[in-house]
Amino acid sequence: MPFRRLPALGSLRAFEAAARLSSFKAAAGELSVTPGAISQQVRALEDDLGVKLFARAVRSVSLTAQGRQLQPALTTAFLTIREAVDQVRPQSLEPLRVDSSGPIIRKWLLPRLHRFSVRNPDLGVTIQSLSHLTTFSKDGPDITIRFTRTPGAGLFARKLCEEYLLPLASPGLIERLDLRTPDDLVRAPLLHDTSPEIFKDAPDWSTWFKHAGLDPAGARRGTRFDRHAGDHAIEAAINGAGVVLGRHFLARSDMLDGRLISPFGPILQMHVSYFVVCQAGDETRPNVAAFMSWILEEAAVMSDRSLLKGSVA
């Protein structure tokens, strides 16, 4: 048996909201239209049906007998439609909790995070900066980005890239001091990022001076930045305060934008890497898998060593 022609869905929706809320103004707010639009839709429905659904007074409206008869059935029908639509619509992913050290977040993750948001507009991310190694628990992070030699037993981890140390300075400082060879560093203030000192035998300026054939005693001068302020050393170099033996991973965006230049080598391999880590089994969760896939793509460009000048020692 074919359906008889129904009134316009918009007019039925406007009437249902106005009847349920007992107000054209409230219905307009719920449906994001004007009260006048609700009034027009309801009047069009009344004309279509040939009955009055509202009794209109100067400052109020009330349902007629026909309106009271129609409203419950429409409310039930629209609720059924809404539930059916919700069942087939993909569910929004739970917000993702990501933590790492402050320098990694500020210098590497944040300049790229907008690309993750564009790709995953329905996935919220909470970023937390921590100065200590966190554990995965009910109240802990979903994902961590770790700068380490081993990501930890019993965890799911993917290597993002290895880390290298190289001299970095602002274009202005390089030009002003005419920094062309390692010997020219005698004219430049040195900036020390002590973050890598948490690792045994981590290279530093003294190590670099030895590989460059310079007297290591000349590497002791300059300003030091403690282990949680590696990005501060990079910012100081950007502002012309000196030459930093900086981490390539953290400084890459500044190198690409021309704020920092590596005037010469050698380049030191740290034998320490960055890993994206989650609890074993969580890598199959849709929100975790989405972040893992994106960050591995972002890190893949780190294999391009076109910005690294000089041989790796």
Side-chain angles (χ1 to χ4, degrees):
M1 177 179 176
F3 285 110
R4 294 178 58 186
R5 185 190 66 81
L6 291 173
L9 185 63
S11 64
L12 291 171
R13 187 71 183 93
F15 164 76
E16 187 279 331
R20 172 168 43 84
L21 299 171
S22 301
S23 167
F24 283 17
K25 183 178 180 180
E30 181 178 285
L31 300 180
S32 300
V33 296
T34 65
I38 295 293
S39 179
Q40 292 176 6
Q41 291 275 25
V42 169
R43 199 171 296 278
L45 178 60
E46 291 175 326
D47 291 343
D48 193 332
L49 296 177
V51 297
K52 291 294 183 183
L53 299 172
F54 282 98
R56 294 164 174 82
V58 175
R59 296 184 179 274
S60 64
V61 293
S62 59
L63 287 169
T64 64
Q66 292 87 346
R68 289 193 297 271
Q69 182 180 0
L70 181 60
Q71 183 259 319
L74 286 181
T75 298
T76 299
F78 280 116
L79 180 60
T80 300
I81 292 171
R82 184 180 299 112
E83 291 174 347
V85 169
D86 288 343
Q87 288 177 0
V88 299
R89 175 183 289 150
Q91 296 298 308
S92 297
L93 297 175
E94 294 182 2
L96 191 67
R97 294 171 295 177
V98 179
D99 79 17
S100 189
S101 68
I104 294 175
I105 291 173
R106 290 187 292 267
K107 296 302 294 181
W108 193 84
L109 182 59
L110 293 186
R112 294 161 174 81
L113 193 60
H114 66 281
R115 292 197 283 268
F116 177 76
S117 299
V118 169
R119 181 186 293 188
N120 302 275
D122 296 328
L123 178 52
V125 179
T126 299
I127 305 294
Q128 186 170 6
S129 174
L130 297 173
S131 60
H132 58 279
L133 189 65
T134 56
T135 58
F136 294 97
S137 63
K138 180 179 179 181
D139 299 322
D142 299 298
I143 287 177
T144 67
I145 304 169
R146 293 181 177 176
F147 180 51
T148 182
R149 286 183 172 145
T150 57
L155 300 173
F156 179 86
R158 287 290 181 266
K159 184 176 178 179
L160 297 177
C161 72
E162 297 179 355
E163 185 59 287
Y164 298 87
L165 295 175
L166 67 168
L168 295 168
S170 68
L173 184 72
I174 292 173
E175 181 179 2
R176 179 165 56 86
L177 299 182
D178 193 25
L179 301 180
R180 299 178 182 273
T181 70
D183 291 333
D184 297 330
L185 282 182
V186 297
R187 299 193 297 271
L190 299 182
L191 305 174
H192 300 260
D193 171 12
T194 65
S195 300
E197 290 182 357
I198 61 175
F199 302 104
K200 184 180 179 181
D201 302 325
D204 56 12
W205 267 124
S206 294
T207 312
W208 189 92
F209 269 51
K210 291 178 183 178
H211 283 285
L214 303 176
D215 182 359
R220 297 174 187 153
R221 58 193 167 81
T223 304
R224 304 179 71 84
F225 296 83
D226 70 26
R227 64 181 59 182
H228 305 309
D231 56 327
H232 296 176
I234 291 175
E235 290 298 321
I238 291 172
N239 287 285
V243 182
V244 65
L245 188 63
R247 287 192 257 167
H248 173 240
F249 186 86
L250 298 185
R252 184 176 175 86
S253 293
D254 298 309
M255 296 173 71
L256 287 171
D257 292 340
R259 291 187 292 267
L260 287 176
I261 295 175
S262 180
F264 38 67
I267 299 164
L268 303 184
Q269 189 171 8
M270 286 195 64
H271 303 291
V272 183
S273 300
Y274 298 88
F275 294 85
V276 58
V277 184
C278 70
Q279 198 164 17
D282 283 359
E283 70 274 10
T284 61
R285 290 168 47 195
N287 55 355
V288 173
F291 191 88
M292 286 270 190
S293 175
W294 168 78
I295 200 171
L296 287 169
E297 289 180 19
E298 289 289 333
V301 302
M302 304 298 286
S303 61
D304 174 15
R305 291 171 54 187
S306 61
L307 297 177
L308 302 180
K309 295 180 180 181
S311 59
V312 176

